[in-house]
């Protein structure tokens, strides 16, 4: 299942001059309820997640610059008024997850919440990205998130889990969902794939950040999980099976990501 994830990840690792993105990234994917108040509203590959609540909703990730019409169509199919989205979040300030932020902010009137590490990238449209990936429309940041902060909106409580390294402010979020009469842990994971040099003058703390993020992610035990890329968590296959409980798949995805990081660390810095 995770071999399929390699192609988009390899493409992400290419320099920004390579502006072409895989067709799956812009391919429409019908909205799909995952569990409790969480639904997928993204494209066939770019994970965008809607968390509905009593006082408005949260949208996590907005895909590429061309994704908003697809997301808005998915929201409409769920009967969601875009104006009821109050908060926009991302897992990582890269063009394939925040390219649609400026437009979605305008269409929803939502506030943008971002970590201290990713806020500068959102504000300058990725110009300061230490990985030098494609730029995107800049967006105002209304609130800077802290590690461990609980984002509350009506009956939604979402905990911020800092997992930097893929970008300087990459972040995961965790919440409780009610499914089959039981409370379950749901993680919106940012898997720390390495898309820039590990010896990096623009991001001197990258190795330390990645090591800490792997420790952090390995310590979590989600019942259900999703990721910024659908292929990273087998999302489309899970739509087909209807089974989103996947604690083992989560542990395997983190371990395989960490093994890749260690290989790169040895190749680039000659040490573990
Ligand atoms: Zn990325």
């Amino acid at each position: 299942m995770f071999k399929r994830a390699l192609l988009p990840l390899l493409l992400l690792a290419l320099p920004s001059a390579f502006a072409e993105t895989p067709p799956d990234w812009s391919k429409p994917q019908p909205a799909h309820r995952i569990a409790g108040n969480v639904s997928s509203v993204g494209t066939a590959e770019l994970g965008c997640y809607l968390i509905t609540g009593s006082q408005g909703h949260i949208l996590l990730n907005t895909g590429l610059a061309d994704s908003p019409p697809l997301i808005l169509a998915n929201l409409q199919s769920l009967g969601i008024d875009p104006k009821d989205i109050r908060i926009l979040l991302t897992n990582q300030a890269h063009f394939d997850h925040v390219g649609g932020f400026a437009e979605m902010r305008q269409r929803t009137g939502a506030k943008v919440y971002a970590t201290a590490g990713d806020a500068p990238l959102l504000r300058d449209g990725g110009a300061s990205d230490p990985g030098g990936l494609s730029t995107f429309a800049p967006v105002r940041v209304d609130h800077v998130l802290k590690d461990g902060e609980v984002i509350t909106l009506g009956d939604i409580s979402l905990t911020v889990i800092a997992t930097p390294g893929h970008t300087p402010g990459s972040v995961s979020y965790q919440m409780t969902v009610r499914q089959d009469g039981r409370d379950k842990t749901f993680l919106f994971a940012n898997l720390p794939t390495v898309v820039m040099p590990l010896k990096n003058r623009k991001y001197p703390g990258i190795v330390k950040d990645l090591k800490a993020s792997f420790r952090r992610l390995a310590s979590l035990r989600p019942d259900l999980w999703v990721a910024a890329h659908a292929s990273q968590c087998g999302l489309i296959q899970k739509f087909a099976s209807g089974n989103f409980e996947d604690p083992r798949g989560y542990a395997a995805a983190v371990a395989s990501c960490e093994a890749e990081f260690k290989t790169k660390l040895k190749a680039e810095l000659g040490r573990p």
Side-chain angles (χ1 to χ4, degrees), residues 122-199:
L122 285 169
R123 291 189 189 112
D124 67 18
S128 61
D129 176 9
L133 267 67
S134 295
T135 52
F136 48 86
V139 67
R140 201 175 89 192
V141 174
D142 301 286
H143 172 70
V144 175
L145 294 166
K146 288 192 182 65
D147 186 23
E149 176 175 344
V150 180
I151 301 165
T152 48
L153 176 67
D155 54 356
I156 302 172
S157 296
L158 191 62
T159 303
V160 175
I161 300 175
T163 47
H166 180 81
T167 61
S170 299
V171 58
S172 303
Y173 306 90
Q174 189 165 267
M175 64 184 275
T176 301
V177 293
R178 191 82 183 159
Q179 201 192 25
D180 306 328
R182 270 184 53 213
D183 280 343
K184 300 197 176 161
T185 305
F186 193 117
L187 182 70
F188 301 88
N190 194 85
L191 292 180
T193 51
V194 182
V195 294
M196 59 184 117
L198 291 170
K199 201 183 271 179

Side-chain angles (χ1 to χ4, degrees), residues 14-263:
L14 293 172
S16 55
F18 189 86
E20 199 91 347
T21 55
D24 264 12
W25 292 20
S26 300
K27 188 176 150 197
Q29 174 69 40
H32 199 294
R33 193 172 151 270
I34 297 176
N37 55 340
V38 182
S39 294
S40 159
V41 294
T43 72
E45 171 58 12
L46 301 177
C48 305
Y49 304 101
L50 173 76
I51 307 167
T52 55
S54 58
Q55 302 293 314
H57 320 306
I58 294 176
L59 179 62
L60 169 60
N61 301 326
T62 61
L64 294 163
D66 68 5
S67 302
L70 305 180
I71 297 171
L72 289 163
N74 278 346
L75 293 173
Q76 196 182 14
S77 77
L78 295 173
I80 298 289
D81 183 347
K83 299 277 178 212
D84 288 336
I85 293 175
R86 303 274 186 265
I87 299 171
L88 289 179
L89 299 174
T90 190
N91 286 118
Q92 44 169 286
H94 273 156
F95 70 102
D96 49 338
H97 307 287
V98 300
F101 251 49
E103 185 176 346
M104 287 306 288
R105 187 181 199 282
Q106 205 190 1
R107 297 294 289 265
T108 60
K111 302 275 187 226
V112 171
Y113 290 11
T115 59
D118 271 4
L121 280 70
L122 285 169
R123 291 189 189 112
D124 67 18
S128 61
D129 176 9
L133 267 67
S134 295
T135 52
F136 48 86
V139 67
R140 201 175 89 192
V141 174
D142 301 286
H143 172 70
V144 175
L145 294 166
K146 288 192 182 65
D147 186 23
E149 176 175 344
V150 180
I151 301 165
T152 48
L153 176 67
D155 54 356
I156 302 172
S157 296
L158 191 62
T159 303
V160 175
I161 300 175
T163 47
H166 180 81
T167 61
S170 299
V171 58
S172 303
Y173 306 90
Q174 189 165 267
M175 64 184 275
T176 301
V177 293
R178 191 82 183 159
Q179 201 192 25
D180 306 328
R182 270 184 53 213
D183 280 343
K184 300 197 176 161
T185 305
F186 193 117
L187 182 70
F188 301 88
N190 194 85
L191 292 180
T193 51
V194 182
V195 294
M196 59 184 117
L198 291 170
K199 201 183 271 179
N200 197 321
R201 240 180 301 156
K202 286 188 187 165
Y203 186 2
I206 184 170
V207 170
K208 196 168 150 252
D209 278 0
L210 283 164
K211 285 183 173 174
S213 292
F214 281 115
R215 272 198 303 276
R216 191 85 185 265
L217 287 167
S219 76
L220 303 174
R221 299 278 179 274
D223 299 304
L224 302 97
W225 72 291
V226 291
H229 283 267
S231 58
Q232 289 177 324
C233 61
L235 192 64
I236 306 300
Q237 293 89 329
K238 286 174 182 169
F239 288 161
S241 73
N243 179 24
F244 292 93
E245 282 219 40
D246 183 27
R248 276 193 212 160
Y250 171 73
V254 173
S256 117
C257 220
E258 186 169 16
E260 238 176 274
F261 161 62
K262 284 182 173 165
T263 304

